[in-house]
C-alpha cells in the first residue's frame, strides 16, 4: 500500500499540531510555580531575589517536557521524516 | 508538486548549512555554519580575554572603566558558584565561569546575525557529556562503593538489586535532558525568528527587535543560568559533605 506525498505531509502537519499539545502541562506547572513564588514573596519580602532565582530555575526545568513536544513538531514540519527518501 | 509557503522552504531558513566538505579517512566531513559561528564566538571571547588579561596586569587600586567591568563579571560568576557549591566552589570557578560565558555568548550571538551555535545538537551534547563525566567522577571520588551500590538499589534494600536498570536509565537521562533543554530552547527561538522574517517579511520592520530581546537575550540568559545551576546542583549532590561516609 502506498500513500502519496500530500497525504503524508498532511498527516505530518496534524501530528505536529498534536505534539505541541504537550505545552499544556508546562503551562500549568509554570503557573503553579509562579503563584507559589508570589505567595512566598508575600510572606517573606526579604527573600525576593532568591525566590525569583529558584522560580526561574524550576520553571525552566518544567518547560523541558513542552519543548520536547515542540521539537517533535519541528522535526515533523521541517525535516519531514515520514516522506520516502 | 505545489507546496504551501511553509513547506516550500525558500524563504524560511534556520537549518545548518555546509560551507565546504573534505574527505577524512574516506568519510565525507562537512564544515558547517555551526563551526564558523563557534569560531567567531571563540575569537570574540579570546579577544576579550586577552584584553582583560592586559588590563589586569597593570591593575590599579582605584579601578578604571574596563577593570570595573571585568571585576564585576568575575565577582558575579564566582558568586553564582559560591551560592550553590559551598566550600567546594573554588575548584569549580574556572569551569562554570567558562561554560557560562561560552553558552551566554553563543545564545545571544543571534543578535549579531549568526545562527546560534547552541541551536546545533552537536554543540550542546558535548557540554552535557562533560557535566555527566564530572558527576560520575565526583560520585566515585567522594562516595564509598557500598554507598553507590545502595544508591543504585535505592528504594529497596541493598540485597534486592532489581531497581538497578531503572536507576541506570535515570542516570543516563541527565545528559540527554540537559542538552535537549538548551538545544530546544535556542532552536525554538531561532525557528520563531526565521518564521517571522520569512513569512512576515513585508511588515517585519522594527518590531522583531522586541522578539529578539525575548528569544535571544532573555531566554538565552535564563537557559545559560539553568544549565550552569543544574550542573552545579548535580555535582554538589554527588559530593555531599565531602567526606567518604
Amino acid at each position: 500500500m502506498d500513500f502519496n506525498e500530500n497525504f503524508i505531509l498532511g498527516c505530518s502537519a496534524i501530528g505536529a499540531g498534536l505534539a505541541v499539545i504537550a505545552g499544556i502541562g508546562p503551562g500549568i506547572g509554570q503557573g503553579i510555580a509562579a503563584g507559589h513564588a508570589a505567595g512566598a514573596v508575600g510572606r517573606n519580602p526579604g527573600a525576593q531575589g532568591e525566590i525569583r532565582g529558584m522560580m526561574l530555575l524550576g520553571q525552566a526545568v518544567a518547560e523541558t517536557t513542552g519543548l520536547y513536544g515542540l521539537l517533535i513538531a519541528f522535526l515533523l514540519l521541517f525535516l519531514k521524516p515520514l516522506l520516502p527518501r | 508538486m505545489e507546496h504551501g509557503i511553509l513547506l516550500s522552504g525558500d524563504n524560511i531558513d534556520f537549518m545548518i548549512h555546509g560551507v565546504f566538505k573534505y574527505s577524512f579517512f574516506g568519510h565525507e566531513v562537512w564544515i558547517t555554519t555551526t563551526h564558523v559561528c563557534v569560531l567567531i564566538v571563540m575569537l570574540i571571547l579570546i579577544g576579550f580575554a586577552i584584553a582583560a588579561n592586559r588590563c589586569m596586569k597593570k591593575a590599579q587600586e582605584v579601578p578604571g572603566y574596563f577593570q570595573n567591568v571585568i571585576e564585576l563579571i568575575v565577582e558575579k560568576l564566582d558568586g553564582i558558584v559560591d551560592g550553590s557549591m559551598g566550600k567546594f566552589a573554588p575548584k569549580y570557578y574556572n569551569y562554570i565561569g567558562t561554560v557560562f560565558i561560552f553558552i551566554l555568548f553563543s545564545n545571544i550571538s543571534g543578535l549579531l546575525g549568526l545562527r546560534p551555535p547552541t541551536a546545533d545538537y552537536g554543540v550542546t551534547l558535548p557540554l552535557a557529556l562533560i557535566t555527566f563525566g564530572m558527576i560520575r567522577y565526583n560520585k566515585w571520588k567522594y562516595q564509598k562503593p557500598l554507598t553507590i551500590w545502595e544508591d543504585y538499589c535505592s528504594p529497596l534494600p541493598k540485597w534486592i538489586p532489581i531497581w538497578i536498570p531503572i536507576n541506570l536509565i535515570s542516570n543516563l537521562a541527565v545528559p540527554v535532558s540537559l542538552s535537549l533543554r538548551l538545544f530546544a530552547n535556542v532552536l525554538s527561538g531561532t525557528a520563531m525568528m526565521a518564521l517571522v522574517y520569512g513569512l512576515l517579511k513585508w511588515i517585519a520592520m522594527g518590531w522583531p527587535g522586541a522578539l529578539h530581546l525575548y528569544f535571544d537575550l532573555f531566554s538565552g540568559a535564563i537557559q545559560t543560568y539553568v544549565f550552569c545551576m543544574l550542573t552545579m546542583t548535580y555535582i554538589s549532590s554527588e559530593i555531599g559533605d565531602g567526606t567518604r561516609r
Side-chain angles (χ1 to χ4, degrees):
Chain A
M1 196 158 50
D2 58 335
F3 297 106
N4 66 4
E5 205 171 334
N6 290 326
F7 180 78
I8 297 175
L9 283 179
C11 285
S12 294
I14 293 175
L18 289 177
V20 286
I21 293 179
I24 290 178
I28 295 173
Q30 289 184 340
I32 290 175
H36 282 262
V41 172
R43 274 195 296 278
N44 186 1
Q48 195 177 4
E50 281 182 37
I51 291 171
R52 188 189 297 129
M54 200 167 291
M55 181 192 79
L56 285 177
L57 185 66
Q59 285 183 337
V61 173
E63 203 179 31
T64 313
T65 50
L67 284 170
Y68 291 162
L70 188 67
L71 209 59
I72 300 296
F74 276 147
L75 286 181
L76 285 174
L77 275 186
F78 294 107
L79 292 185
K80 299 165 212 152
L82 300 181
L83 282 182
R85 293 286 154 191
Chain B
M1 196 175 79
E2 294 262 326
H3 280 310
I5 186 169
L6 189 60
L7 289 172
S8 64
D10 287 337
N11 38 11
I12 301 163
D13 182 29
F14 60 92
M15 294 296 175
I16 305 164
H17 297 287
V19 178
F20 69 91
K21 67 176 176 182
Y22 61 98
S23 174
F24 183 73
F25 292 120
H27 293 279
E28 195 177 87
V29 184
W30 282 88
I31 294 290
T32 61
T33 45
T34 306
H35 295 97
V36 179
C37 294
V38 167
L39 197 67
I40 294 173
V41 169
M42 268 166 47
L43 284 181
I44 293 174
L45 289 182
I46 290 173
F48 183 77
I50 290 175
N53 192 14
R54 282 224 181 121
C55 176
M56 290 311 283
K57 263 189 186 149
K58 46 183 198 296
Q60 291 149 1
E61 191 76 20
V62 180
Y65 295 115
F66 193 55
Q67 191 185 345
N68 244 332
V69 172
I70 298 166
E71 286 180 358
L72 182 77
I73 293 172
V74 173
E75 275 174 15
K76 286 288 177 196
L77 288 177
D78 288 358
I80 291 175
V81 186
D82 272 331
S84 66
M85 297 202 70
K87 64 174 178 173
F88 291 96
K91 284 168 74 176
Y92 292 95
Y93 282 162
N94 290 334
Y95 176 66
I96 300 292
T98 310
V99 166
F100 194 97
I101 294 176
F102 175 69
I103 297 179
L104 185 66
F105 261 76
S106 301
N107 286 351
I108 66 178
S109 66
L111 292 177
L112 306 178
L114 303 177
R115 187 182 186 281
T118 35
D120 185 347
Y121 197 55
V123 175
T124 58
L125 184 64
L127 288 171
L129 283 179
I130 295 173
T131 297
F132 182 68
M134 290 171 81
I135 294 170
R136 293 297 105 195
Y137 172 74
N138 281 305
K139 194 179 182 77
W140 284 96
K141 188 177 175 189
Y142 287 104
Q143 290 183 13
K144 280 184 191 168
L146 188 64
T147 327
I148 296 172
W149 176 254
E150 279 176 5
D151 275 352
Y152 276 125
C153 315
S154 97
L156 291 174
K158 62 186 170 195
W159 55 82
I160 315 175
I162 56 174
W163 282 89
I164 285 184
I166 295 178
N167 281 323
L168 278 180
I169 289 172
S170 77
N171 279 336
L172 289 179
V174 166
V176 176
S177 79
L178 261 182
S179 54
L180 272 181
R181 178 177 302 124
L182 183 59
F183 167 67
N185 261 292
V186 182
L187 179 74
S188 67
T190 311
M192 228 76 89
M193 294 316 297
L195 288 181
V196 166
Y197 284 130
L199 298 182
L200 303 175
K201 67 179 163 194
W202 300 111
I203 54 171
M205 275 175 280
W207 58 268
L211 293 180
H212 268 297
L213 272 189
Y214 177 74
F215 286 123
D216 288 338
L217 212 54
F218 179 73
S219 185
I222 292 281
Q223 288 310 314
T224 311
Y225 179 72
V226 165
F227 188 92
C228 292
M229 281 302 287
L230 284 177
T231 299
M232 288 185 291
T233 312
Y234 283 129
I235 291 175
S236 63
S237 78
E238 297 303 340
I239 290 179
D241 55 357
T243 52
R244 282 188 154 225
R245 280 165 290 171

